[in-house]
Amino acid sequence: MPAENTQPKYRQIADYLRRGILDGTYPAGQPLPSEEALAKQFGVTRPTVRQGLTELRASGLVEAIMGRGTFARSPHSRPSLTRPRGVRRTAEGTYAEADGIVWTADEEPIATRTDAPLALADLLRVPPGEPLYTYDALEIAAAGLRQLHRTYVPFSILVATKYETEAPPPAPDLYTALAGLGHELHFTEYLRPRMPLPDQAQALRLPEGVPLLTILRVTHTPESKPLALEEFHLPGDDLELSYPL
């Protein structure tokens, strides 16, 4: 005789649905049983069902759509978008993203003066607190793609150049400006996932439980001297990145 399940009912519901999502009983994008059906199946109230669904939303396995219900999100399904990463030089001598996606800033980026935060000063190889030009932009592309893009340029890189008294342009024009100063540009990216802060989730329209992909791109010389640092925040639910090796 099987042992009695002593877990709370909401967790039994979450485990039941989780197994169904992972084994393909509920394919990605398909609706889950209604709250009413689950309440009847497990002999509980609808608030108990909602508690189980909340646990699944927090782990990114379901998505609630207002007025339509709750839908499965499989961790095994292929994403709808693969983005090649990298920067390429065009025939005109400018720089563009390797994926060919054209991004438009929601508002014109404005250079502000900030101090190098401790967490990023090491990547820029500057002392914490060194002044930086900083650009912030919410960028939007076709098909509703959104990303948060922040650019840092140390003042010390611009000493004795025309940008000592005026702000350099934001990326990708920044690359052309740096090349025009005589730098040979190389790029290194650092990638990690994390959960978004509330303002990031709002700006990127992320459902509950969806992580961010955070990319730090360092523009540097062949001698690995950092020239600029960019920070990208991308939705991590239906996107994968590809890197040539």
Side-chain angles (χ1 to χ4, degrees), residues 32-160:
L32 299 180
S34 67
E35 290 182 5
E36 184 178 358
L38 289 168
K40 184 176 181 180
Q41 179 179 345
F42 285 88
V44 296
T45 62
R46 292 178 68 167
T48 300
V49 172
R50 293 189 193 111
Q51 192 175 0
L53 293 174
T54 297
E55 185 168 299
L56 293 179
R57 281 202 305 274
S59 60
L61 286 175
V62 303
E63 178 181 6
I65 300 178
M66 185 70 69
R68 295 182 56 196
T70 303
F71 294 78
R73 299 178 60 218
S74 171
H76 304 309
S77 60
R78 293 288 297 160
S80 62
L81 177 63
T82 299
R83 287 184 55 186
R85 295 297 300 176
V87 179
R88 61 183 176 83
R89 193 158 192 180
T90 68
E92 294 76 24
T94 60
Y95 290 80
E97 296 289 337
D99 58 23
I101 295 175
V102 178
W103 295 93
T104 302
D106 189 47
E107 295 181 355
E108 191 66 28
I110 298 175
T112 57
R113 182 199 181 281
T114 59
D115 297 330
L118 180 61
L120 299 180
D122 183 53
L123 278 176
L124 283 167
R125 297 188 190 173
V126 297
E130 175 165 323
L132 310 170
Y133 280 117
T134 303
Y135 290 94
D136 281 292
L138 168 62
E139 297 177 331
I140 303 172
L145 296 175
R146 301 167 77 87
Q147 70 177 11
L148 295 170
H149 184 188
R150 174 174 287 180
T151 305
Y152 303 94
V153 186
F155 279 27
S156 58
I157 298 297
L158 307 173
V159 172

Side-chain angles (χ1 to χ4, degrees), residues 152-197:
Y152 303 94
V153 186
F155 279 27
S156 58
I157 298 297
L158 307 173
V159 172
T161 75
K162 67 177 183 178
Y163 298 113
E164 188 170 14
T165 56
E166 64 179 90
D173 292 337
L174 173 64
Y175 309 141
T176 306
L178 291 173
L181 297 177
H183 296 296
E184 179 184 334
L185 305 187
H186 293 252
F187 304 90
T188 300
E189 292 194 339
Y190 302 85
L191 169 67
R192 67 184 175 94
R194 67 171 176 81
M195 297 309 294
L197 298 174

